[in-house]
Amino acid sequence: MGKDNKLVKIFHGPQHPGITGNMSVEIDLDGETIVNSETHVGYLHRGFEKLVERRTIPQAFTIVCRICVPEPDPNEENFARGIENLANIEVPVKAKWIRTMVLEMQRLTAQFLWIAGQGGSLGLYINPQWAVADRDLMLDLYEELTGARVYHMYIYPGGVRNDLPVGFLDKLSRLLDYYESRLPEYDRIFFNNAVFKKRAVGIGIVKPETAIKHGVVGPVLRAAGFKHDVRKYAPYEMYSQVEFDIPTQRDSDVYARALVRREEMVQSIRILRQVINKMPKDGPVNVKLKGHRQFLIPRGETWVRTESSRGEFSYFMASDGTEKLRRMQVKGPSMVHAMSLLPEVLKGAQLADVAMIMNSLGTCPPEIER
């Protein structure tokens, strides 16, 4: 206890090398043990839903990718597919294959960034040095494909902005070869690292009943033994045309969640190999839309969802027949993982484990303050 038997209150973040984005956790400590905690967000981008509702569809397209900076493409895909549902737009087949490719490329970059962050939270600094460098190789391909490294603004209502550059699939294939050769090295420095296992095994346990109560998704849910993935059970784009497995674990601790993410990297590479082989050589990649004041969305409602690297990500969209959406609501994994689950998991944990537990849940703060 603190002086006069009072708890000590500290703030973990928002500027901290081991936190997930710009968010703060207010912690009450009894010595080194966490008694209570509360998550605070709003230090970065926010207010996306209202920003979108006040813009025409082509204008709003540039907003949604910022809902999650490290993983913008699931937002672009959700937004595009929602508009396509409302406007009855049929997306060309080649565009769907390209979208599937882009989403799995994004999943790999997100997992590399997760490895970097989790290593940093433990003081294993070779992890961020290696993982950020390897992630940058995929960003090079994104830059060639879209002209941008982070905010791609490439998956557009009606398809994608442009076709694949000459030789792009060969470059992607070579990069996948490199990633496959690197995974055993990441096993050595991180996944099988004695320090990481000592720190992570048995820490931050999310019991199966807790996972269901809070509605957790993604690797957190799969590490608790639940075999759920939107790509498999509600397939979109071309996921019904590729084969992949849903990795699960049973221990539901920080280490189990790491193992799920490690295997998901293998599955992403497997999916991308199939996409490369099945990619149509010819055909349109988009449907030409009217200008932003002429593109009117028919009255109606829709709900779409994708499987981001952090779990199920969904959009609700409602139109009143004008050039703007009447309502858009975003539901990502972070609201549950950071706001309701994290305080419960942190109760009784040690101060030194806060960053590691928080990273293991996979959050993106702008999703919450949306």
Side-chain angles (χ1 to χ4, degrees), residues 81-100:
R81 192 150 45 92
I83 296 301
E84 289 154 6
N85 287 352
L86 290 171
N88 296 314
I89 297 173
E90 183 63 36
V91 178
V93 172
K94 186 173 184 180
K96 291 184 178 181
W97 279 109
I98 294 175
R99 286 180 174 186
T100 305

Side-chain angles (χ1 to χ4, degrees), residues 11 14 22-26 38-43 339:
F11 283 83
N22 293 69
M23 64 184 255
S24 176
V25 182
E26 181 182 351
E38 183 178 359
T39 305
H40 298 281
V41 296
Y43 297 96
M339 301 301 290

Side-chain angles (χ1 to χ4, degrees), residues 133-150:
D134 284 341
R135 175 178 178 266
D136 258 20
L137 299 177
M138 187 67 84
L139 299 191
D140 290 342
L141 291 185
Y142 267 118
E143 186 173 15
E144 182 176 346
L145 177 64
T146 72
R149 300 179 70 81
V150 179

